[in-house]
Amino acid sequence: MNLTEQEKNKYEQVWSHDAYRKFSPGVFAIEQLPIRQLFNGCSTVLDVGCGSGKAAKRLIQMGYRVSGFDIATNCLDSDLVDAGFKLYQGCVWEDLYEVPNHHVVFCTDVMEHIPTDKVQDSLVAMRTVCDHGVFFGIALFADGFGPKLLGTPLHLTVRPSNWWLSEIEKAGFVIPYFTVDYRGAGWFYCFAM
């Protein structure tokens, strides 16, 4: 089994647990950060690593046309599946290039899950499929779900915010906005163009 198959298998296992479906840091980011200002003039959003789709639902409520992308085929909540929500399935560093461009990419609680040696490939893929920019929300801490549910961590790249800034810039982005939320274990948020 190659790395992509291992990751797909891992996330299909984790999305089968109801406890994992309750957590949505993307919704928090949408409600607490200046998403409308950052997405100014944009109408289409690709939620990369959309998971259950809770953040996508919130963006749809705000008037955006949203599609999702995830490695797991069983991640979406049933109401989005029933509504015909467009989910592109695949691996960020391999398959994202096949997705049509959107104005913006929304990517929260994803990059820390990417193996460190695939971070640059994933960042470049996101830059390729967006016309305006990418919003990132990245956890700066080790996860509790993976060890508890699967016996293995889900957060594979736990690095400080300055490391993420450097990696994002190395991928060819300019970063007009970023903030670090130190409540709890810490989250790094940025908009990259």
Side-chain angles (χ1 to χ4, degrees), residues 1-192:
M1 188 180 306
N2 68 27
L3 176 63
T4 301
E5 292 166 338
Q6 289 172 6
E7 291 298 293
K8 182 176 187 285
N9 182 50
K10 180 168 66 175
Y11 285 97
E12 288 185 346
Q13 285 181 56
V14 97
W15 282 113
S16 70
H17 293 272
D18 289 338
Y20 196 69
R21 295 183 164 281
K22 294 178 183 174
F23 187 62
S24 180
V27 172
F28 174 85
I30 293 165
E31 293 175 352
Q32 301 298 318
L33 299 170
I35 296 298
R36 283 195 191 278
Q37 293 89 339
L38 296 170
F39 292 8
N40 185 30
C42 296
S43 61
T44 60
V45 179
L46 178 64
D47 186 352
V48 170
C50 64
S52 66
K54 288 175 179 51
K57 284 187 258 189
R58 184 68 188 103
L59 289 166
I60 291 166
Q61 291 167 351
M62 294 169 67
Y64 296 104
R65 291 190 321 264
V66 184
S67 302
F69 182 92
D70 206 283
I71 197 165
T73 57
N74 63 333
C75 60
L76 281 181
D77 285 347
S78 59
D79 60 334
L80 275 176
V81 172
D82 295 343
F85 178 77
K86 178 64 179 170
L87 175 67
Y88 297 95
Q89 198 275 320
C91 173
V92 174
W93 61 85
E94 290 177 354
D95 304 311
L96 191 59
Y97 297 100
E98 298 170 20
V99 175
N101 275 31
H102 289 65
H103 292 133
V104 278
V105 165
F106 182 81
C107 180
T108 60
D109 194 24
V110 174
M111 292 307 298
E112 66 276 16
H113 292 257
I114 302 290
T116 304
D117 65 340
K118 299 297 184 185
V119 165
Q120 272 302 307
D121 292 338
S122 300
L123 291 168
V124 170
M126 281 184 256
R127 193 186 78 223
T128 302
V129 298
C130 74
D131 295 328
H132 180 62
V134 180
F135 178 83
F136 293 102
I138 303 171
L140 304 177
F141 54 89
D143 69 287
F145 277 109
K148 180 179 166 187
L149 299 176
L150 303 177
T152 186
L154 297 176
H155 290 188
L156 304 177
T157 304
V158 178
R159 304 297 167 119
S161 58
N162 60 349
W163 186 88
W164 285 107
L165 280 168
S166 175
E167 289 300 302
I168 292 166
E169 288 174 340
K170 201 184 303 180
F173 286 105
V174 173
I175 302 172
Y177 169 88
F178 77 91
T179 187
V180 180
D181 182 349
Y182 289 107
R183 291 175 289 172
W187 284 84
F188 168 70
Y189 299 102
C190 82
F191 189 69

